């Protein structure tokens, strides 16, 4: 099965920023130019806000390019996509936006393609899976900015207290371990966040571990496939029904699950690299393993990418290209990845990370990136489908849930949206 492509707003990554651009001189070719960027903030406090990263990067860039100024605005992940959408609708598109999706804007002809902006060495340096994930109709409009993959996190102390020697490698072991943790009084043996924050991510991870996905190898939605139905029936019967998820998954958001893991209250959950810092800050001794599948490790893990986009409206293609070449140099890519516990989106950055033992805990995540499967962010229907998954998927595994019915409803919505977009 071919890789699926996903946009990381999410899962995995957190706050956002805005770059808009206005000419102060005599047009695209002459005089001083001010670029404005809208981007996401990946920090969880003011002290580590992405604003600090951009302020330093812009200062360094402007020293080398005194005729190009860059203004950066920072927004939370829950606000940034809507902020850009409103700017575009009002006829004031930013020059650049670092956001969670790109296909809608590409379909409307509003974006520069990557090859119109970047120098050949920079364009060629993107990790191939991520470059391909940024394509709309085989042309790359989404330039990956931050990336992550997913692994199963487990609390080593809670496992030892429950007499569990090794982390689970398949579903049967996962359910058995969760039961042992519950018997020892663990509040949430397995955290299953199917609340509205990032349900689409947890859903994809379980689809992949059950041999399914959102789409097939030619990009057709397969949400209600037999594999996906079996997966969510298994979750309902073997984890949620016996009380091994610590409550109603439909009411649990991803960040709340992460917070509970960092507080030592969760035995296992699927997580991305930023959970490592959060757990370490709270003194939690944790381990990570490949996502368990039906009979062994999952066929693939989920990958997530956020996207840098460049709008045509301001007309400063050359200046935007020069700035983005700087953004994607190895030092800046590594500074960003190191600060926020994310994976480099460039091949040079990936090689640098693998060669540096300082990033040893990220190596297992990085090794999964090449074969990771992403959200189908190259489909203009995906934003609506994702919104529908967030609204409905949690109910599928509840006490009165009907996995087949819920998946069928989402499939119908996906088909209608897909047909409308063609």
């Amino acid at each position: 099965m071919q890789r699926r492509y996903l946009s990381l707003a999410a899962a995995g990554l957190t706050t956002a920023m805005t770059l808009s651009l206005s000419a102060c001189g005599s047009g695209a070719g002459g005089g001083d130019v001010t670029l404005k960027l809208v981007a996401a903030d990946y920090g969880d406090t003011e002290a580590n806000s992405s604003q600090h990263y951009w302020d330093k990067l812009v200062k360094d860039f402007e020293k080398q390019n005194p005729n190009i100024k860059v203004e950066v605005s920072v927004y939370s992940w829950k606000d940034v996509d809507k902020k850009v959408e409103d700017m575009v609708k009002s006829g004031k598109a930013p020059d650049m936006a670092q956001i969670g999706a790109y296909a809608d804007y590409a379909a409307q002809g509003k974006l520069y393609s990557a090859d119109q902006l970047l120098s050949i060495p920079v364009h060629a340096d993107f990790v191939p899976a991520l470059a391909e994930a940024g394509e709309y109709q085989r042309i790359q409009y989404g330039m990956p900015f931050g990336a992550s993959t997913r692994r199963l996190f487990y609390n080593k102390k809670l496992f030892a207290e429950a007499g569990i020697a090794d982390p689970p490698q398949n579903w049967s072991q996962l359910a058995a371990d969760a039961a042992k943790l519950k018997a020892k009084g663990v509040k949430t043996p397995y955290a299953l966040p199917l609340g509205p924050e990032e349900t689409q991510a947890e859903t994809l991870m379980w689809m992949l571990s059950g041999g399914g996905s959102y789409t097939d190898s030619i990009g057709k939605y397969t949400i209600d496939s037999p594999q996906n139905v079996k997966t969510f029936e298994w979750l309902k019967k073997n984890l949620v029904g016996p009380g091994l998820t610590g409550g109603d998954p439909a009411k649990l958001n991803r960040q709340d699950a992460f917070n509970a893991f960092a507080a030592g209250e969760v035995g296992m959950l699927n997580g991305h690299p930023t959970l490592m810092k959060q757990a370490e800050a709270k003194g939690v001794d944790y381990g990570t393993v490949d996502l368990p599948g039906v009979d062994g490790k999952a066929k693939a893990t989920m990958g997530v990418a956020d996207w840098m986009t460049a709008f045509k409206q301001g007309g400063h293609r050359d200046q935007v290209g020069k700035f983005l070449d700087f953004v994607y140099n190895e030092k800046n890519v590594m500074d960003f990845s190191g600060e926020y516990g994310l994976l480099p989106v460039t091949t040079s950055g990936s090689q640098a990370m693998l060669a540096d033992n300082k990033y040893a805990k990220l190596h297992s995540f990085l090794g999964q990136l090449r074969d990771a499967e992403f959200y189908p962010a190259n489909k203009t229907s995906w934003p609506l489908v994702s919104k529908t998954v967030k609204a409905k998927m949690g109910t599928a595994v509840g006490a009165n849930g009907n996995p087949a019915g819920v998946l069928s409803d989402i499939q119908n919505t996906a088909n209608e949206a897909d047909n409308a977009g063609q």
Side-chain angles (χ1 to χ4, degrees), residues 42-180:
Y42 293 85
D44 53 10
T45 66
E46 194 286 326
N48 71 350
S49 166
S50 297
Q51 187 73 57
H52 302 299
Y53 169 80
W54 286 107
D55 286 349
K56 182 181 183 303
L57 183 147
V58 166
K59 184 178 179 181
D60 293 342
F61 173 77
E62 290 179 350
K63 277 184 186 175
Q64 299 177 26
N65 301 274
N67 293 329
I68 306 175
K69 305 299 179 187
V70 184
E71 294 177 0
V72 180
S73 307
V74 180
Y75 297 89
S76 71
W77 265 115
K78 65 183 179 66
D79 296 328
V80 67
D81 286 341
K82 183 65 165 59
K83 178 68 177 178
V84 174
E85 181 184 340
D86 290 346
M87 293 172 74
V88 173
K89 283 182 177 178
S90 67
K92 298 177 181 177
D95 297 297
M96 293 166 279
Q98 186 262 301
I99 48 180
Y102 62 86
D104 273 355
Y105 299 127
Q108 296 166 29
K110 295 182 181 297
L111 301 179
Y112 289 117
S113 60
D115 63 353
Q116 291 177 309
L117 297 164
L118 303 173
S119 64
I120 292 174
V122 172
H123 190 198
D125 196 28
F126 287 129
V127 173
L130 295 174
E132 198 176 341
E135 292 181 356
Y136 172 73
Q137 296 185 344
R138 299 187 180 277
I139 297 173
Q140 186 184 356
Y141 294 96
M143 292 163 279
F145 185 73
S148 70
T149 57
R150 301 295 192 265
R151 292 175 67 77
L152 179 76
F153 282 68
Y154 64 99
N155 183 310
K156 290 183 176 180
K157 178 173 179 286
L158 297 180
F159 265 52
E161 291 172 351
I164 305 169
D166 300 304
Q169 296 183 24
N170 59 48
W171 286 2
S172 296
Q173 292 172 1
L174 187 148
D177 291 348
K180 292 176 184 176

Side-chain angles (χ1 to χ4, degrees), residues 4-7 100-104 133 135-136 307 374-380 382-383:
R4 310 299 182 277
Y5 303 121
L6 108 76
S7 120
Y102 62 86
D104 273 355
E135 292 181 356
Y136 172 73
W307 305 104
F374 294 80
Y375 301 133
N378 58 331
K379 296 169 77 69
T380 57
W382 171 243

Side-chain angles (χ1 to χ4, degrees), residues 66-358:
N67 293 329
I68 306 175
K69 305 299 179 187
V70 184
E71 294 177 0
V72 180
S73 307
V74 180
Y75 297 89
S76 71
W77 265 115
K78 65 183 179 66
D79 296 328
V80 67
D81 286 341
K82 183 65 165 59
K83 178 68 177 178
V84 174
E85 181 184 340
D86 290 346
M87 293 172 74
V88 173
K89 283 182 177 178
S90 67
K92 298 177 181 177
D95 297 297
M96 293 166 279
Q98 186 262 301
I99 48 180
Y102 62 86
D104 273 355
Y105 299 127
Q108 296 166 29
K110 295 182 181 297
L111 301 179
Y112 289 117
S113 60
D115 63 353
Q116 291 177 309
L117 297 164
L118 303 173
S119 64
I120 292 174
V122 172
H123 190 198
D125 196 28
F126 287 129
V127 173
L130 295 174
E132 198 176 341
E135 292 181 356
Y136 172 73
Q137 296 185 344
R138 299 187 180 277
I139 297 173
Q140 186 184 356
Y141 294 96
M143 292 163 279
F145 185 73
S148 70
T149 57
R150 301 295 192 265
R151 292 175 67 77
L152 179 76
F153 282 68
Y154 64 99
N155 183 310
K156 290 183 176 180
K157 178 173 179 286
L158 297 180
F159 265 52
E161 291 172 351
I164 305 169
D166 300 304
Q169 296 183 24
N170 59 48
W171 286 2
S172 296
Q173 292 172 1
L174 187 148
D177 291 348
K180 292 176 184 176
L181 291 163
K182 183 181 180 182
K184 275 294 183 179
V186 175
K187 185 176 179 181
T188 305
Y190 182 88
L192 183 66
L194 293 176
E197 181 188 353
E198 208 188 15
T199 313
Q200 82 284 4
E202 191 73 16
T203 297
L204 178 56
M205 284 181 267
W206 278 98
M207 285 177 169
L208 291 171
S209 67
S213 190
Y214 280 121
T215 59
D216 63 16
S217 60
I218 60 171
K220 186 177 185 296
Y221 282 114
T222 54
I223 294 166
D224 62 350
S225 68
Q227 297 97 319
N228 291 341
V229 171
K230 286 180 182 177
T231 292
F232 287 92
E233 287 177 343
W234 185 91
L235 278 172
K236 183 177 186 294
K237 178 182 177 181
N238 295 280
L239 287 186
V240 183
L244 302 179
T245 57
D248 183 359
K251 297 179 180 177
L252 180 64
N253 279 327
R254 192 236 17 222
Q255 191 56 55
D256 293 331
F258 279 18
N259 293 344
F261 184 83
E265 299 171 353
V266 172
M268 297 174 278
L269 82 172
N270 294 335
H272 55 67
T274 56
L275 179 56
M276 296 191 298
K277 275 191 175 182
Q278 190 176 349
E280 288 163 4
K282 297 288 188 177
V284 172
D285 187 13
Y286 66 89
T288 74
V289 292
D290 291 339
L291 299 186
V294 180
D295 300 315
K297 73 176 184 177
K299 70 185 181 77
T301 188
M302 182 180 84
V304 178
D306 298 321
W307 305 104
M308 180 69 77
T309 58
F311 287 85
K312 294 178 178 178
Q313 185 179 336
H316 294 90
R317 188 180 83 173
D318 291 346
Q319 293 88 345
V320 170
K322 185 171 285 191
F323 178 67
L324 291 178
D325 271 359
F326 187 78
V327 166
Y328 286 108
N329 73 35
E330 184 180 317
K331 178 185 182 301
N332 290 327
V333 168
M334 290 304 297
D335 284 350
F336 177 80
S337 300
E339 175 65 27
Y340 297 107
L342 296 170
L343 305 179
V345 297
T346 60
T347 300
S348 60
S350 299
Q351 291 170 344
M353 180 171 280
L354 286 172
D356 192 338
N357 285 334
K358 179 172 71 173

